[in-house]
């Protein structure tokens, strides 16, 4: 019985290769298009972490890794696979390898790569027939035809450092004829002891005007490369490309070179090299205009119209981003020198603590640590001090623009140029660090009238109270500008949205986390001036006062959401929200009332909810459902009344329509819709609604009065129309 052929990622014996079909030469996909499948993985390592998948797809034959359909059937071997075998031909077993030592990294070489290999070929009896490169490595271009097909197929499954024994059947070795010169008999399977020492990716750039060969890949898994405004630092040396069979002449030994990607004086090839930090590459510049052109460079010894080969080590770069507002115009560039933590960035009115150093050609103009600035506020002594020290430059404009882009702890360099710099057209450089900030922002749903300053923001806490959560707080209320508190409690327990605390507290607590401390600033309308809240000890003066509230959320218990409630809890919540809406209506808070009526209807029981009332008979369930429908209709009608008071006439009609879908004989819904249609000058439909309501409730005086009013409105409109248009037809 044959040994089971497995390795850590793939069990070859369990693969159903029939699903792939047999591809002859006519059926094989071409390069590009679906040819990308013909080497889709190039061994799964072909999509390694160091590679750029987009570059692979654009620059390699057959899409990703070559046009050979079998390439994508193989995978790579790991350290735990030592001693195991792998079929390099996706089930055909014409090239089999056994792992002796695993390689490193993720990538496999592909067609077009150069590889350094050591190998020794042997016949079945152990006789060596090809041992020239068993000790000294050989460099070979894959796809050049210098290696037998089976050996090249095996190499494409290797990772750098991998050592294997490879057995190749005759059809992918020397065939039926063998190789007399090397001593390989006809129709003979051969074996190789094979090691992949290094691989070098070669790809064309700039439409073939350059060729880049990667000598050493970047050490890190960082995908970043210099962008168009980057300041780049490299080590490089250069030689002339060999011409007419002559060796290339060295132009200069390795030296440091610093340049800006957007500098028009820089030779064009530098903007095309496409390298990562730590990468080493040989770049052959095939078109002189991409190097030093007709003029050459006497200082570097480059003659006119020279083709050059540069060996480049990418050391580091600084990426500059144009953050000029309202659109990029080159007046403000930012480069991050130290990345910050998290994703959050400051918002307008945040109090930011920064360090700032401003430098011009003449020297340091301003240098200060622990500088406090209110974001987007140009006023204040700090802003005036900075601008004055910098000779009238609009430094603070640049600062505020930049601060919005910084995360906590981020450090950046700025280039500020006229007209943002100053009246003397002097460019400035700035060093800026975001050390900390205090959140200062409007409390949602308070029309930006209540401002919250976060004094302590507990880390790694995310949950906040929901509506009607039971909250425990510690708080102190002072009139703005006064120190003596007008009320204070160390432990206050209340249910959010029930009006047991000041409106500003009720709104702000929804935005707080357990352990958070905040300072609220609220006008009278959100404090003791609110109609439903009595001032402590009935001090009348408090009703007109702006207050400051220090508040700490000690704990909270979330209220159940609708989907978490049982049917009885939904009935209670529906009624409760409707009554709260009624209370807001009586206080003439019509917008708040509409919101509460909508929430009431959100708790309406579904058919599924009714089925959960297992303790009720079918008849009792229907009674409960009918009662819930009645509450829902009433909420819609009350909503319509509020909307009419708010002049939202179309919304009022829609609310009445919703009520009538549930109860087509709702007198109040017909009456309110009739009133709304009068306001829309839709007199015919208004009369229809009011007449329907009158038939259902003949004794209703309000309905009868509305019909009489409608009659007078219609008559008045007819008189007006005759006066306006009557003379037109004489």
């Amino acid at each position: 019985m044959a040994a089971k052929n497995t390795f850590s990622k793939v069990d070859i014996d369990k693969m159903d290769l029939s699903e792939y079909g047999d591809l002859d030469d006519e059926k094989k996909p071409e390069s590009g298009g679906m040819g990308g499948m013909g080497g889709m993985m190039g061994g799964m390592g072909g999509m390694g972490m160091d590679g750029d998948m987009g570059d692979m797809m654009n620059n390699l034959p057959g899409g990703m890794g070559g046009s050979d359909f079998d390439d994508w059937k193989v995978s790579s071997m790991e350290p735990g696979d030592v001693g195991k075998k792998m079929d390099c031909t996706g089930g055909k077993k014409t090239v089999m390898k056994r792992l002796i030592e695993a390689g490193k990294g993720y990538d496999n070489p592909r067609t077009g790569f150069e590889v350094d290999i050591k190998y020794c070929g042997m016949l079945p009896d152990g006789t060596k027939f090809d041992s020239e490169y068993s000790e000294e490595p050989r460099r070979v271009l894959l796809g050049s035809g210098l290696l037998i097909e089976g050996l090249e197929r095996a190499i494409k499954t290797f990772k750098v450092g991998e050592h294997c024994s490879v057995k190749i059947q005759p059809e992918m070795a020397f065939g039926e004829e063998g190789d007399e010169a090397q001593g390989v008999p006809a129709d003979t399977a051969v074996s190789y002891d094979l090691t992949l020492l290094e691989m070098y990716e070669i790809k064309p750039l700039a439409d073939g005007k350059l060729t880049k060969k990667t000598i050493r890949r970047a050490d890190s898994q960082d995908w970043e490369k210099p962008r168009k405004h980057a300041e780049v630092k490299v080590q490089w040396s250069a030689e002339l490309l060999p011409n007419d069979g002559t060796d290339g002449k060295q132009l200069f030994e390795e030296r440091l070179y610093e340049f800006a990607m957007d500098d028009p004086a820089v030779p064009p090839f530098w903007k095309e090299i496409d390298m990562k930090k730590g990468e080493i590459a040989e770049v052959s510049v095939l078109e002189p205009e991409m190097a030093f052109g007709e003029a050459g460079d006497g200082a570097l010894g480059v003659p006119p119209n020279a083709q050059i080969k540069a060996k480049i080590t990418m050391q580091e770069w600084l990426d500059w981003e144009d953050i000029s507002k309202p659109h990029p115009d080159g007046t403000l560039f930012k480069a991050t020198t130290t990345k910050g933590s998290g994703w959050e960035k400051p918002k307008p009115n945040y109090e930011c603590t920064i360090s700032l150093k401003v430098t011009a050609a003449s020297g340091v103009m301003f240098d200060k640590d622990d500088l406090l600035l209110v974001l987007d506020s140009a006023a204040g002594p700090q802003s005036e001090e900075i601008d004055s020290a910098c000779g009238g430059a609009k430094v603070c404009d640049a600062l505020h623009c930049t601060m919005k882009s910084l995360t906590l702890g981020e450090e950046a360099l700025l280039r500020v140029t006229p007209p943002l710099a100053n009246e003397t057209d002097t460019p400035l450089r700035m060093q800026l660090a975001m050390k900390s900030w205090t959140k200062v922002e409007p409390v949602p749903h308070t029309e930006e009238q209540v401002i919250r300053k976060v004094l302590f923001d507990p880390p790694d806490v995310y949950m906040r109270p929901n509506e009607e959560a039971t909250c425990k707080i510690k708080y102190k209320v002072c009139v703005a500008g006064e120190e003596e508190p007008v009320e204070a409690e160390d432990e206050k327990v209340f249910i959010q949205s029930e009006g047991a605390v000041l409106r500003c507290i009720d709104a702000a607590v929804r935005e707080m986390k357990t352990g958070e401390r905040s300072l609220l600033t609220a006008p009278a309308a959100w404090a003791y001036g609110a109609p439903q809240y009595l001032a402590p000890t009935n001090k009348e003066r408090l009703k007109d006062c702006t207050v400051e509230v220090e508040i700490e959320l000690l704990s909270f218990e979330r209220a159940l959401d609708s989907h978490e409630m049982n049917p009885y809890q939904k009935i209670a919540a529906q009624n409760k929200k409707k009554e709260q809406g009624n209370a807001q209506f009586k206080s003439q808070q019509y917008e708040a009332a509409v919101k509460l009526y909508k929430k009431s209807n959100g708790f309406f029981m579904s058919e599924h909810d009714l089925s959960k009332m297992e303790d009720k008979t079918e008849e009792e369930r229907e009674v409960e459902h009918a009662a819930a429908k009645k509450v829902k209709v009433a909420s819609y009608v009350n909503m319509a009344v509020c909307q009419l008071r708010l002049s939202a006439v179309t919304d009022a009609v829609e609310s009445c329509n919703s009520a009538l879908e549930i109860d087509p004989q709702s007198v109040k819904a017909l009456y309110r819709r009739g009133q709304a249609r009068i306001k829309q000058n839709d007199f015919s439909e208004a009369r229809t609604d009011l007449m329907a309501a009158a038939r259902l409730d003949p004794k209703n005086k309000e309905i009868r009065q509305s019909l009489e009013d409608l009659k007078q409105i219609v008559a008045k409109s007819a008189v007006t129309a005759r006066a306006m248009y009557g003379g037109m037809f004489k």
Side-chain angles (χ1 to χ4, degrees):
M1 183 175 179
K4 191 175 185 181
N5 183 12
T6 63
F7 55 94
S8 64
K9 290 187 177 179
V10 177
D11 186 340
I12 296 292
D13 295 331
K14 291 183 179 179
M15 292 179 67
D16 182 9
L17 299 176
S18 64
E19 65 183 276
Y20 307 119
D22 294 325
L23 293 183
D24 55 30
D25 291 338
E26 294 180 359
K27 295 180 182 177
K28 283 185 180 181
E30 298 176 356
S31 297
M34 287 302 292
M37 291 298 294
M40 181 171 179
M41 300 303 182
M44 284 297 288
M47 292 176 65
M49 296 296 289
D50 281 82
D52 185 318
M53 188 157 46
D55 291 341
M56 287 162 48
M57 294 177 68
N58 291 331
N59 296 310
L60 293 174
M64 297 167 65
S67 59
D68 193 332
F69 182 79
D70 288 325
D71 281 359
W72 78 281
K73 294 182 183 178
V74 301
S75 185
S76 59
M77 302 183 81
E78 308 297 336
D81 298 319
V82 171
K84 295 181 181 179
K85 294 181 179 180
M86 171 179 161
D87 185 350
C88 301
T89 53
K92 296 178 182 178
K93 298 187 177 181
T94 50
V95 180
M96 300 291 296
K97 73 175 184 180
R98 182 176 61 82
L99 184 64
I100 297 172
E101 182 178 351
K104 298 178 181 180
Y106 300 90
D107 285 356
N108 307 105
R110 300 181 289 277
T111 299
F113 278 40
E114 285 186 351
V115 293
D116 288 341
I117 53 175
K118 289 198 301 187
Y119 62 94
C120 178
M122 292 165 284
L123 299 175
D125 63 1
T127 301
K128 297 179 180 179
F129 69 88
D130 186 359
S131 58
E132 180 181 358
Y133 298 103
S134 59
E135 298 296 332
E136 295 296 324
R138 181 185 184 186
R139 182 166 296 181
V140 181
L141 176 66
L142 295 182
S144 64
L146 296 175
L147 300 175
I148 61 173
E149 182 182 0
L151 191 58
E152 186 162 308
R153 177 63 60 84
I155 291 170
K156 289 180 180 180
T157 71
F158 276 49
K159 294 185 290 188
V160 172
E162 188 169 328
H163 179 196
C164 292
S165 63
V166 180
K167 185 174 183 180
I168 306 172
Q169 297 303 314
E171 58 265 38
M172 296 194 77
F174 297 94
E176 296 178 355
E177 297 181 358
D179 188 320
E180 184 177 351
Q182 295 195 74
V184 180
D187 202 23
T188 300
V190 295
S191 298
Y192 285 87
D193 185 85
L194 175 64
T195 302
L196 174 63
L197 301 173
E198 191 55 85
M199 62 180 178
Y200 310 99
E201 180 181 4
I202 300 176
K203 65 179 181 179
L205 300 174
D207 297 324
K209 295 177 182 179
L210 314 176
T211 300
K212 173 188 169 188
K213 180 166 83 172
T214 300
I215 304 299
R216 190 186 77 187
R217 292 172 174 264
D219 295 331
S220 69
Q221 304 302 322
D222 194 345
W223 288 66
E224 293 185 358
K225 299 174 183 177
R227 292 182 284 187
K228 66 177 183 177
H229 297 298
E231 292 177 350
V232 183
K233 184 185 291 186
V234 300
Q235 288 282 348
W236 79 307
S237 61
E239 63 185 52
L240 294 175
L241 279 175
N243 190 16
D244 297 329
T246 61
D247 293 335
K249 172 189 174 184
Q250 185 172 13
L251 296 171
F252 52 86
E253 295 182 350
E254 188 173 66
R255 62 180 62 186
L256 178 67
Y257 181 48
E258 298 181 51
F259 64 95
M261 293 285 281
D262 56 1
D263 184 350
V266 170
F269 77 90
W270 286 111
K271 302 174 185 181
E272 305 287 345
I273 57 176
D274 193 36
M275 294 176 67
K276 304 173 193 173
K277 187 175 181 179
E279 185 178 344
I280 301 175
E282 285 182 356
V283 177
S284 297
V285 186
L286 307 177
E287 298 290 341
E289 69 268 19
M290 294 296 291
F292 296 92
E294 295 181 358
D297 189 318
L300 295 176
V302 181
N305 295 313
Q307 297 174 311
I308 66 170
K309 180 167 72 174
K311 185 177 181 181
I312 303 168
T313 301
M314 177 62 72
Q315 290 194 328
E316 60 184 351
W317 66 86
L318 196 59
D319 267 326
W320 290 90
E321 178 187 2
D322 189 346
I323 62 171
S324 314
K325 300 295 182 182
H327 51 77
D329 60 11
T331 58
L332 179 59
F333 280 91
K334 168 198 166 188
T336 297
T337 55
T338 302
K339 292 183 178 180
S341 59
W343 54 268
E344 196 171 4
K345 297 175 183 178
K347 299 176 182 178
N349 297 317
Y350 277 27
E351 296 177 357
C352 301
T353 301
I354 63 170
S355 64
L356 175 66
K357 183 177 182 179
V358 184
T359 308
S362 58
V364 176
M365 304 178 76
F366 184 88
D367 189 359
K368 194 167 185 178
D369 203 7
D370 294 329
L371 189 64
L372 182 64
L373 288 178
V374 177
L375 187 56
D376 268 359
S377 175
Q382 299 278 31
S383 298
E384 294 174 5
E385 178 188 358
I386 296 169
D387 285 348
S388 175
C390 297
K394 300 176 183 176
V395 172
C396 286
D397 287 353
L399 273 179
H400 291 299
C401 185
T402 307
M403 284 159 59
K404 295 175 186 175
S405 70
L406 300 179
T407 55
L408 195 61
E410 184 175 345
E411 298 179 12
L413 294 176
L414 304 180
R415 292 198 316 237
V416 189
T417 58
L420 192 58
N422 55 34
E423 297 176 356
T424 60
D425 293 343
T426 303
L428 301 177
R429 283 239 177 182
M430 300 163 61
Q431 293 174 247
L432 173 64
M434 178 62 71
K435 304 183 74 173
S436 65
W437 64 61
T438 299
K439 295 179 181 179
V440 181
E441 54 194 359
V443 174
H445 312 299
T446 65
E447 300 174 343
E448 300 192 354
Q449 293 189 53
V450 180
I451 304 299
R452 166 172 158 257
K453 179 177 179 178
V454 179
L455 304 177
F456 175 71
D457 190 1
D460 302 322
V461 181
Y462 305 101
M463 294 293 292
R464 293 175 169 84
N466 61 346
E467 186 175 359
E468 295 194 344
T470 300
C471 302
K472 182 191 290 187
I473 62 171
K474 176 181 180 181
Y475 74 101
K476 178 176 72 173
V477 184
C478 296
V479 172
E482 298 181 7
E483 295 184 2
E484 188 68 25
V486 295
E487 66 171 303
E489 288 193 43
D490 287 338
E491 282 193 7
K492 170 76 173 180
V493 179
F494 66 99
I495 296 176
Q496 196 278 333
S497 80
E498 290 199 344
V501 292
L502 290 174
R503 286 180 73 198
C504 57
I505 295 176
D506 205 46
V509 77
R510 289 283 305 273
E511 304 302 314
M512 297 180 68
K513 300 176 286 189
T514 299
E516 181 178 321
R517 288 186 290 108
S518 291
L519 176 65
L520 310 179
T521 302
W526 286 86
Y528 299 115
Q532 74 272 29
Y533 199 86
L534 295 177
T537 65
N538 293 318
K539 294 179 181 177
E540 287 297 321
R541 74 179 186 93
L542 296 178
K543 293 184 178 182
D544 298 317
C545 292
T546 296
V547 300
E548 293 180 344
V549 183
E550 290 185 29
I551 177 174
E552 179 180 356
L553 179 59
L554 303 175
S555 64
F556 68 89
E557 182 179 342
R558 293 181 71 256
L560 293 177
D561 290 326
S562 176
H563 68 275
E564 299 172 311
M565 293 181 175
N566 63 42
Y568 301 105
Q569 290 169 327
K570 284 192 173 184
I571 290 171
Q574 183 187 19
N575 284 293
K576 180 178 178 180
K577 288 299 174 188
K578 175 177 171 289
E579 292 306 316
Q580 288 177 344
N582 291 347
Q584 292 292 339
F585 177 81
K586 291 175 183 177
S587 299
Q588 300 182 1
Q589 303 295 314
Y590 300 123
E591 290 183 356
V594 168
K595 290 179 182 178
L596 287 164
Y597 290 135
K598 287 181 178 179
K599 288 177 181 177
S600 172
N601 288 344
F603 291 109
F604 180 69
M605 287 189 297
S606 65
E607 295 291 339
H608 178 67
D609 291 322
L610 284 173
S611 68
K612 294 181 181 178
M613 302 178 81
E614 297 176 355
D615 58 330
K616 299 284 187 181
T617 64
E618 188 66 30
E619 184 177 344
E620 289 172 332
R621 291 178 192 171
E622 286 302 319
V623 170
E624 293 285 1
H625 201 207
K629 283 182 178 179
K630 187 175 180 180
V631 173
K632 189 172 186 179
V633 169
S635 290
Y636 274 128
V637 172
N638 292 351
M639 202 184 306
V641 177
C642 294
Q643 289 160 340
L644 286 172
R645 302 282 176 91
L646 294 167
S647 298
V649 180
T650 302
D651 292 340
V653 171
E654 290 300 319
S655 295
C656 292
N657 289 343
S658 297
L660 290 166
E661 286 178 8
I662 302 169
D663 181 7
Q665 294 189 324
S666 170
V667 173
K668 291 184 177 180
L670 288 166
Y671 171 57
R672 297 301 181 189
R673 190 169 70 177
Q675 287 185 312
R677 284 175 167 169
I678 290 174
K679 291 181 178 292
Q680 291 178 322
N681 293 327
D682 189 354
F683 302 137
S684 176
E685 291 297 330
R687 184 178 184 280
T688 299
D689 283 339
L690 293 173
M691 288 297 293
R695 291 189 190 99
L696 291 167
D697 189 1
K699 296 182 179 180
N700 190 307
K701 293 181 180 180
E702 290 181 330
I703 298 172
R704 293 167 67 88
Q705 184 60 52
S706 290
L707 280 167
E708 185 62 31
D709 293 343
L710 176 60
K711 181 179 178 181
Q712 293 179 16
I713 292 170
V714 171
K716 185 176 180 180
S717 297
V719 171
T720 303
R722 282 196 297 271
M724 184 175 296
Y725 301 111
M728 295 177 61
F729 303 101
K730 291 182 180 179

